[in-house]
Amino acid sequence: MDKLKRDFLSISDIKNEIDEILDLAISFKNGKITGKPLEGKSLAMIFQKSSTRTRVSFEVGMYELGGNPLFLSSSLLQMGRGESIADTAKVLSRYVAGIMIRATSHQTVIEFAKEANVPVINGLTDLEHPCQALADIQTIYEKKGDFNRKLGYVGDGNNVCNSLLLISAYLGMDISIATPKGYEPNEKIINQAKNISKETGSNILITNDEKEAVFKADVVYTDVWISMGDEEDEEIKRNKFLKYQVNTELMKLAKDDAIFMHCLPAIRGEEVVTEIIDGSQSVVIDQAENRLHAQKAILYYLLK
Ligand code: CP
Ligand code: NVA
């Protein structure tokens, strides 16, 4: 067993390799990397929450690289009956080459990584969704050609937003985030991103003003108002988020050639209106496709 392993729990874990992983993702998409580099290797995929894109892109990605993906619903693992994370992580490490986990709490993923002897990948937690952010920058690069851009994010300052904030800071891309009061991104991540931006030149704005966030943006991005596990104060939240909806009026404040992005799943009529998400500026399906290419890049990078 190898204790010298790389985990991918946060965008900061790959801060020096973002360009390299992006290049790999593009090469996978263009068919420039072929063969079965992960032949004979298995990936355990543990899900404590629902998933369509993450599950299927990791599963298909692993298959296309010659490896063997194992879908493990946490409720059917002994973990769901109280087996410790440590025992689960140590035992799985004897069978598989890597572990991907979508967890309710970021702490679970950190503990998993500490106990596992193989690379652990964050497939979404309450704090970050780094795999999503990698596919997103691939999409922005494809559509815009560079990162000398402004991303305007409106809505919940949650997992997706936190990872976008970090990756933008590392790439030197400008990012303006507008959320209702009390739903700002994670404070530690804001500070981390602001420190990074001193080196990279990224302009970072955290505001409650949705118009300012999308003004002259090249990319307008939003995420659901009610994330998985946040169902408790649904109605209160919906009311606070109303003015952060991406609609035709808000979209008009962005550049004429701005693209609309969403990690999906989306609720039409809540965070975005149908005219925008199904309109000509929307790139959400290409963005979802890139999850597959980005996932293959991550798997190749960590497990080959
Ligand atoms: N964007 C995303 O992670 O989608 P899933 O929840 O379907 O995996
Ligand atoms: N913020 C959303 C992202 C889903 C991919 C959630 O956590 O449910």
Side-chain angles (χ1 to χ4, degrees), residues 48-59:
Q48 290 186 335
K49 288 177 169 181
S50 310
S51 172
T52 298
R53 281 144 289 270
T54 306
R55 175 184 174 177
V56 178
S57 58
F58 265 109
E59 206 160 320

Side-chain angles (χ1 to χ4, degrees), residues 276-288:
I276 297 296
I277 192 167
D278 297 326
S280 58
Q281 287 171 286
S282 175
V283 299
V284 299
I285 304 300
D286 291 339
Q287 180 185 358

Side-chain angles (χ1 to χ4, degrees), residues 10-29:
S10 163
I11 286 297
S12 43
D13 292 331
I14 52 147
K15 61 181 177 202
N16 298 319
E17 292 97 8
I18 296 174
D19 288 345
E20 193 180 334
I21 296 174
L22 175 61
D23 280 349
L24 276 172
I26 294 168
S27 298
F28 277 117
K29 188 165 187 174

Side-chain angles (χ1 to χ4, degrees), residues 49 53-54 102 124-126 129 132 153 156 158-160 223-224 226-229 263-265 291:
K49 288 177 169 181
R53 281 144 289 270
T54 306
R102 169 166 286 195
L124 180 145
T125 65
D126 53 341
H129 196 359
Q132 179 70 50
Y153 181 98
D156 195 8
N158 200 345
N159 40 22
V160 171
D223 183 9
V224 284
I226 316 293
S227 282
M228 292 180 278
C263 54
L264 303 180
R291 293 294 306 278

